[in-house]
Amino acid sequence: MNAKKTKLKNGILVTSLKMENTDTVSAILMLKGGVIYEPRNLNGITHLIEHLCFRRLAGIPQRELYYKIERSGGHLRAATYRDYVVFELTMPKEYFVDIPCILRSLFDDNRWTYEDIRLEKEIIYREVEQTGDWTYKRIVYDFFEENSYGAEILGTKNKIKKLTYKQIIDWKNNLFENPEIVLCGNFSDVQLDEFCKAFTDIPSLKNKEPVDIMPKSFLMRNSKSDRCYTEQGDYLKLGISFDLNIDKPTAKLMVKTLFGLGISPFNMRLREKMGFVYDIDTSFSYFDFGGILTIILDVHKDKAVSLIKEFAKTLIEQKCQIDYKAFECAQKRLDFENQIAMQNSQDIAYRVAFDENNGFSKITYEQLQDGARKVFSPQNMIVNLNDVAPEQELLDALYEEKEKFREKLGE
């Protein structure tokens, strides 16, 4: 998969990949933004601006904007991450001309009114108030509690309320100073030239300094990092996370091998021994300096201790000798997913944007095994127990089993 990179005179990088086997075209505008760039008093402003861009785009009201896109069968979405904001537009290839026009409009004066901002703030207040699964968030905070990366993407209701019109407009201009663009799908060389030309009048880039988000404690974990939160209830969440101190492709293949297949050792063990009927919930986050693998299991409190035992037993077995059949299946699955993605311009655009098109067939079994020995070590592990019933006998048993787990990893 050879993507073409075009550097415009103003510094904007356009990465393009032709896909003649599809009838769609997808473009992603990537901006350096999010909580790692936000001062504390402006926490949540990037996410608010992402929302506002849909409310009124270069003076076009939201309803009119959606009509323009959806009448063609197209789709526009956006997302704010901790270090990036993305706007993605997918259209049938015959509507290609609309793609650069719409994305280019994002750079213009949006002409938001005070009422636009008030209404969008109200929406975000409701988002902030919604409760969700805090297990993964708490684990992320364990890594980034002294770091801007651990801040809330949405901000808080109080901070969003205090954001002024001038702060929002100034931050919007700052946000759009450092764009990168990815274009994938069925288009011609002439159309690619037209696409690039649409962005040439944007002022020269002001390169943003990279933000150091390396946690002080990363790759230096110890038992003090474990967390236990007690609440009333019969079910608890067992979260086990590891620092992924290996390269991203190997880490991704390892996660798929261990957890992401029907034949995966953990899924098979928990079905056979614990009666689990669903797959393990894993969260795989990767940064420039490494990543975090989080495994979250919902379990009745009566089975919590035996679950930790079974999980520990399986993990230690896999650290010594990863299941070869699962490794073969994971390689095939990931390469097949890449092959399927080649028929979908939207999937490919995201893979190109986030550099996820690595060939997994090149990774050897020995490399994966070596990676497992690095990752699954006692100092790389955090155990997080949420919603645990405050029964001292249960807590003592869980902590005892957790410490045994850590000791066995070090053997």
Side-chain angles (χ1 to χ4, degrees), residues 53-81:
C53 286
F54 285 84
R55 183 163 289 277
R56 191 178 298 275
L57 180 61
I60 303 173
Q62 189 174 56
R63 185 180 180 86
E64 186 179 334
L65 172 65
Y66 285 164
Y67 175 72
K68 179 181 179 65
I69 295 168
E70 292 175 2
R71 70 180 177 181
S72 69
H75 173 70
L76 174 66
R77 67 176 294 273
T80 301
Y81 302 98

Side-chain angles (χ1 to χ4, degrees), residues 329-343:
C329 291
Q331 268 192 330
K332 293 290 185 182
R333 174 70 67 82
L334 287 170
D335 284 334
F336 181 60
E337 287 175 3
N338 273 345
Q339 184 181 340
I340 292 176
M342 283 300 295
Q343 301 168 26

Side-chain angles (χ1 to χ4, degrees), residues 356-372:
E356 293 185 352
N357 287 298
N358 303 285
F360 297 97
S361 57
K362 297 178 181 178
I363 299 172
T364 67
Y365 177 72
E366 288 72 25
Q367 286 174 318
L368 196 70
Q369 191 66 68
D370 184 56

Side-chain angles (χ1 to χ4, degrees), residues 135 139 238-242 292-297 307-308 311-312 315 381-385 405 409:
T135 307
I139 292 170
L238 169 62
I240 302 171
S241 65
F242 290 91
I292 303 172
L293 165 63
T294 302
I295 305 103
I296 300 173
L297 297 158
L307 175 62
I308 294 180
F311 193 93
L315 186 65
M381 183 176 77
I382 296 175
V383 175
N384 188 294
L385 298 168
F405 186 3
L409 276 179

Side-chain angles (χ1 to χ4, degrees), residues 135-137 139-140 240-242 244 255 259 280-286 291-296:
T135 307
Y136 176 63
K137 287 185 179 180
I139 292 170
V140 170
I240 302 171
S241 65
F242 290 91
L244 291 168
V255 173
F259 308 103
I280 297 174
D281 182 12
T282 60
S283 183
F284 173 75
S285 301
Y286 206 89
I292 303 172
L293 165 63
T294 302
I295 305 103
I296 300 173

